[in-house]
Amino acid sequence: MEDKLLLERLYRISGILTAEPDSSSYALVSRALFHCDQDVRERAIFIGGLRWADPLILSCFIGAITVGLESVDDNRRLMVESLVSATLRGKLDAISIGSWLRTVIGSSDVNSLQAKAAYIGFLRIKGEISTAEFASLDYDDVVVDSSVLS
């Protein structure tokens, strides 16, 4: 029951259109990133990474993916997409994130959503995939081309 209430609170927070969260919302989302329930973590990733593009939360995503802290492939995909989105909005350095994405591609199972998101994200940062192309993308059809690593 407690997890359900937490998820409801997170859904309410995600509906508030603000780039500057209040301190209690920020604390709740930050704690939820490490919750045992994958749906709670997913909502927190969406809010902190995509909605707020918070630099501290985004840096946690880099660490979580790099050390393998997040066990759910779909959540790792969302983390990568958040980092790419923030980069495309000028909130993160494109060269640094692009280099990190190459590392993620090279160290991941190429059939994972994480690797596919890193590959597509790398191409998006390079300007080789438009927003419209990304919006219509089906990850099932994505084949990771490791030649981008060179």
Side-chain angles (χ1 to χ4, degrees):
M1 185 64 170
E2 201 172 299
D3 289 352
K4 185 177 179 181
L5 291 174
L6 174 58
L7 199 53
E8 287 176 14
R9 288 181 65 195
L10 290 169
Y11 271 103
R12 261 185 270 130
I13 291 170
S14 66
I16 299 169
L17 298 176
T18 180
E20 295 295 324
D22 61 75
S23 61
S24 64
S25 295
Y26 190 88
L28 181 69
V29 168
S30 298
R31 282 193 316 271
L33 289 170
F34 302 98
H35 195 275
C36 61
D37 184 281
Q38 70 184 41
D39 293 330
V40 169
R41 291 193 314 274
E42 176 187 44
R43 183 57 28 187
I45 292 164
F46 172 80
I47 296 167
L50 287 173
R51 175 77 74 196
W52 297 339
D54 180 76
L56 183 58
I57 290 175
L58 291 168
S59 67
C60 286
F61 294 174
I62 292 170
I65 290 171
T66 301
V67 301
L69 186 61
E70 176 56 55
S71 60
V72 178
D73 194 29
D74 199 45
N75 284 352
R76 292 190 307 268
R77 173 201 54 84
L78 187 56
M79 288 177 174
V80 170
E81 289 176 351
S82 297
L83 289 158
V84 171
S85 175
T87 301
L88 294 172
R89 290 185 282 167
K91 294 183 178 253
L92 298 173
D93 179 65
I95 294 171
S96 298
I97 295 299
S99 176
W100 177 77
L101 289 171
R102 283 206 301 282
T103 302
V104 170
I105 295 165
S107 64
S108 303
D109 171 2
V110 294
N111 294 314
S112 69
L113 291 172
Q114 172 181 296
K116 291 178 179 188
Y119 174 68
I120 295 301
F122 181 77
L123 296 177
R124 287 186 72 205
I125 289 171
K126 288 177 54 179
E128 296 179 19
I129 292 181
S130 70
T131 302
E133 290 170 317
F134 175 70
S136 65
L137 185 74
D138 182 353
Y139 278 115
D140 289 337
D141 299 332
V142 172
V143 176
V144 175
D145 178 5
S146 60
S147 70
V148 302
L149 300 175
S150 31

